[in-house]
Amino acid sequence: MCGTLPCSCKLLVFLLYQVVPVKVHREGHYVAAVFEHQAILSPNPAALTNRHSALELMNRNLDVYEEQAIAAAKQLIVFPEDGIHGFNFTRTSIFPYLEFVPDPLLLKWNPCREPHLFNDTEVLQRLSCIALRSKMFLVANLGAKQPCKHSNPHCPPDGRYQFNTDVVFSNNGSLVARYRKQNLYFEYAFNIPSEVDYTLFDTPFAGKFGIFTCFDILFYEPAVSLVKKYNVKQVVYPTAWMNQLPLLSAVEIQQAFAVAFNINVLAANIHHPTLGMTGSGIYTPSESFTHYDMESDAGKLIVAEIPVSTPEHQSHPETNARSVENMGHMNFANLPTDYQVCNKEDPKDCCRTAGERDELPLIFYREMMYDNFTLLPLLGIEGNIHVCANTLCCHLSYQRLHLYNELYVLGAFDGLHTVHGTYYVQACVLVKCGSLNYTTCGQEVTDATTVMDFQLWGNFSTTFIFPLLLMSGVAPDVADQLGWRKNYYYMNKRAMSSGLLTAGLYGRWYEKD
C-alpha cells in the first residue's frame, strides 16, 4: 500500500476491461498483461471475522482474477497489491485473511496439484490453478503468516510474523517466487522482514525477472539493488498507489523507474478513484502502455508486446547527438545569478527600487508534495532562468509555441522529505500551477494547454535521477535526450503533442535518508 486512506464503504466491482490489440509476438519480444483491479473490500476491515467469511470475500476477487487471466491469455499477468484481501486492517483483524506461504527456494510445490500439503493455502491453490489453466506466469499479492518461537528476540508477542507478500506462479502452476515487502506504508498489520528479500524468477520467454511492491520503488533496497547488483532487466510491480500530483502520480514514477534504469516495468495498481488510486502500465525505456482513470469504476486489463532486451541507454552522454552547449538558445551562458527573493503571497507586494535598470526575477516559496520548494515563474514566451535550494541549482531554458493563460514555475528542493515517509530528495521541476495565482503553485493539476521546447538541468549530488514527464490528462511521455554533461544532469524535450503538466528531475540521495 502506498498512500491509501481509510475506507468503510463497500465498493462495487465492474468487470469491464480493455485490451491493447496484440498480434502473435515477434522474435525477441514477449506479451505481458497487467490488470488494474477495483477490489471488493470488507465494509469494516477493523472488525474481527472468521476464515470462512474471509475466504468468501477473497474468492469474489479471485473470480475477477480468473476472468482477466482468461481474457489476457498471454505469457505473464500481474495483479495489484491488496487486490485479493483489501486494506486498512489491524494486525488482529487481518489474521483470517492470511495464507501460509512456504519459501519456494526451499520447497518445490504446485498448490493446484498438491492442495493438501499445507493448511490455510486456499488462495494459493486457486491462484496456482488459474496459472495452470491459463498456461501463463501469474503474479499476485496477498497477506502471509509465518509462525515464530518466543525464544526468537524478534518474534512478535502473538507468536507469528505477518508479511505483505507477492507470489509468482509459473505457467504450470508451480510456486516459483515469494517476495515480502520491505518498505511498508503505514501498514500496521504487517511486519518488516528481518532481512531484505531479493526475489528473482526465471521465465522461458524473457529470462530473469525481479519483483518489489509499491512504496519500495522510492528506496534503494530492494528496488535499486535488483537492477544494480542482480542485473535485472524485467520488473513486475504490484502496487496500491495513491496518486500525488504533480510529482508522484503512479504512471509518472513507474515510467521514471523504467527510463532511469533502462528496464521494462510491468506495474499493476489497484483501482479506487475515490481514494485517488489509479494508474497502471507496461513500460519500456522508450514507450508505455498506460491506464489512468479517475472517473470510471471499471477495472482495466492492459496487454502489450514489448522487447526482451532494451537498447543502449539513451541518456549516455557520449551517445547524444547534440551536447548541452550547442543547443541554440538552450545553454548555460548568460544566466542571471543575483535573483532577489520575495516571501509575499502577491507578487505586487514585492517592490523594486526606483533606480533599478532591469527588474530581476521574482523568487517565492510554496509547499509542493509537503516540501518547501523555491519557485520562480516563467515570464514571457521564452527565457533562460535558474533557481537554487541549498546546494542544488536548477536551470531552465524554454521556448513556448504560444502564450496561454497558464502559469508555470521552475522549482528546486534539496532536503529531507518527512511526511508519509522519510527520504532525501533533490528535485528540479517545471510544473503548471492551478491558476494564475501564485498560491496555487504546487497544487494538483490534470489538464494543460501550453506546449514548449525546453531543457532542464541541475548540479545534482546524487547519481540516482528519475526523469518525470507528464502531459495533459496525466499521460506520461519520454524525454528526447537526458543524461550527464559537465556535472549537470539534464533533460531535453521538443515538439510536445499535448500540454505540459510536469517536467522534473527527481533525485534520490539514498545515503542521506
Side-chain angles (χ1 to χ4, degrees):
M1 186 182 302
C2 311
T4 57
L5 295 175
C7 177
S8 60
C9 58
K10 189 171 185 179
L11 300 175
L12 298 177
V13 158
F14 294 79
L15 306 184
L16 301 177
Y17 61 88
Q18 289 182 289
V19 181
V20 177
V22 174
K23 300 179 181 179
V24 177
H25 64 275
R26 294 166 287 169
E27 185 178 354
H29 292 66
Y30 68 99
V31 182
V34 302
F35 180 59
E36 182 165 307
H37 173 48
Q38 182 167 0
I40 302 170
L41 302 176
S42 167
N44 187 4
L48 301 182
T49 188
N50 54 45
R51 178 68 174 174
H52 177 77
S53 298
L55 284 172
E56 280 188 340
L57 183 141
M58 291 191 289
N59 273 314
R60 293 172 67 191
N61 286 308
L62 289 168
D63 289 342
V64 183
Y65 280 25
E66 187 163 12
E67 291 186 9
Q68 300 307 319
I70 293 170
K74 299 303 176 185
Q75 292 168 295
L76 180 148
I77 188 167
V78 184
F79 292 103
E81 181 187 25
D82 298 333
I84 296 173
H85 56 276
F87 38 74
N88 294 321
F89 293 94
T90 68
R91 182 174 179 85
T92 302
S93 68
I94 201 174
F95 181 71
Y97 296 84
L98 302 181
E99 298 267 303
F100 173 71
V101 184
D103 186 349
L105 296 178
L106 303 177
L107 174 72
K108 292 183 178 180
W109 180 41
N110 188 311
C112 188
R113 291 174 171 162
E114 304 169 279
H116 304 298
L117 199 57
F118 301 103
N119 293 326
D120 295 332
T121 57
E122 293 91 339
V123 172
L124 290 175
Q125 293 167 32
R126 185 141 186 219
L127 290 169
S128 170
C129 291
I130 293 172
L132 177 62
R133 290 167 188 158
S134 60
K135 295 182 174 57
M136 64 194 303
F137 277 69
L138 184 151
V139 180
N141 174 269
L142 46 75
K145 59 186 177 182
Q146 178 182 322
C148 57
K149 296 181 179 180
H150 289 293
S151 57
N152 178 348
H154 303 292
C155 184
D158 52 18
R160 64 179 182 270
Y161 295 109
Q162 299 181 176
F163 298 116
N164 179 328
T165 304
D166 297 330
V167 289
V168 183
F169 297 89
S170 71
N171 53 6
N172 69 6
S174 295
L175 178 66
V176 295
R178 178 193 73 177
Y179 169 69
R180 300 168 300 177
K181 186 177 180 182
Q182 181 68 28
N183 299 283
L184 300 176
Y185 189 87
F186 301 102
E187 298 166 71
Y188 304 114
F190 294 122
N191 300 107
I192 297 173
S194 57
E195 295 182 357
V196 178
D197 284 352
Y198 302 107
T199 300
L200 308 170
F201 63 94
D202 284 308
T203 68
F205 50 85
K208 181 170 57 180
F209 279 74
I211 184 170
F212 52 85
T213 311
C214 205
F215 204 38
D216 287 331
I217 203 169
L218 292 181
F219 297 90
Y220 194 91
E221 302 292 0
V224 179
S225 282
L226 284 174
V227 178
K228 303 290 284 185
K229 295 180 182 178
Y230 297 92
N231 198 31
V232 164
K233 296 297 183 183
Q234 323 288 331
V235 164
V236 290
Y237 177 61
T239 185
W241 188 279
M242 174 179 284
N243 287 288
Q244 296 181 7
L245 292 166
L247 305 184
L248 289 179
S249 68
V251 294
E252 197 175 12
I253 192 63
Q254 291 161 13
Q255 179 177 265
F257 197 90
V259 173
F261 291 112
N262 200 41
I263 63 172
N264 297 327
V265 174
L266 315 179
N269 197 6
I270 207 162
H271 186 79
H272 284 293
T274 56
L275 303 178
M277 302 170 79
T278 182
S280 304
I282 297 174
Y283 306 85
T284 77
S286 59
E287 65 177 333
S288 59
F289 307 87
T290 64
H291 174 67
Y292 176 94
D293 186 354
M294 288 291 290
E295 304 298 328
S296 171
D297 289 325
K300 176 67 176 286
L301 180 67
I302 305 170
V303 181
E305 180 187 74
I306 58 175
V308 172
S309 60
T310 53
E312 186 67 23
H313 203 305
Q314 62 173 329
S315 71
H316 195 287
E318 300 305 318
T319 63
N320 289 333
R322 294 171 295 182
S323 70
V324 173
E325 290 86 353
N326 62 17
M327 292 199 55
H329 75 278
M330 297 184 176
N331 57 66
F332 294 146
N334 302 319
L335 298 178
T337 57
D338 54 349
Y339 290 170
Q340 295 189 1
V341 177
C342 174
N343 294 307
K344 305 289 186 180
E345 290 194 358
D346 186 347
K348 294 178 181 177
D349 293 336
C350 301
C351 300
R352 312 296 183 188
T353 63
E356 284 184 332
R357 183 176 57 183
D358 297 310
E359 185 174 337
L360 295 174
L362 170 71
I363 290 177
F364 63 104
Y365 301 105
R366 285 293 173 271
E367 186 177 275
M368 187 189 308
M369 311 293 297
Y370 303 103
D371 296 320
N372 188 29
F373 272 74
T374 305
L375 302 173
L376 178 67
L378 278 61
L379 305 174
I381 199 165
E382 65 178 47
N384 296 295
I385 60 176
H386 83 264
V387 67
C388 299
N390 292 333
T391 63
L392 176 67
C393 285
C394 304
H395 304 258
L396 175 70
S397 186
Y398 67 94
Q399 183 167 21
R400 302 189 236 208
L401 236 59
H402 303 284
L403 270 179
Y404 294 102
N405 214 25
E406 296 179 323
L407 175 63
Y408 285 81
V409 291
L410 172 66
F413 177 75
D414 180 4
L416 189 67
H417 175 90
T418 58
V419 178
H420 302 157
T422 302
Y423 46 92
Y424 201 97
V425 174
Q426 285 190 319
C428 293
V429 299
L430 167 61
V431 298
K432 182 195 172 190
C433 302
S435 72
L436 295 181
N437 192 317
Y438 282 45
T439 62
T440 66
C441 297
Q443 293 182 359
E444 295 195 357
V445 179
T446 58
D447 296 295
T449 303
T450 298
V451 298
M452 67 178 81
D453 296 342
F454 73 86
Q455 178 167 278
L456 176 67
W457 68 97
N459 62 330
F460 290 88
S461 301
T462 175
T463 59
F464 295 99
I465 315 297
F466 297 90
L468 311 175
L469 193 55
L470 202 61
M471 301 308 192
S472 186
V474 194
D477 201 352
V478 292
D480 297 335
Q481 295 174 327
L482 50 88
W484 289 98
R485 179 69 64 178
K486 292 187 176 179
N487 299 319
Y488 289 85
Y489 194 89
Y490 71 95
M491 168 199 289
N492 299 336
K493 183 64 179 177
R494 297 178 183 271
M496 296 177 182
S497 58
S498 60
L500 176 68
L501 292 180
T502 300
L505 300 173
Y506 194 83
R508 279 287 287 111
W509 199 343
Y510 299 111
E511 295 86 351
K512 299 192 72 171
D513 285 356

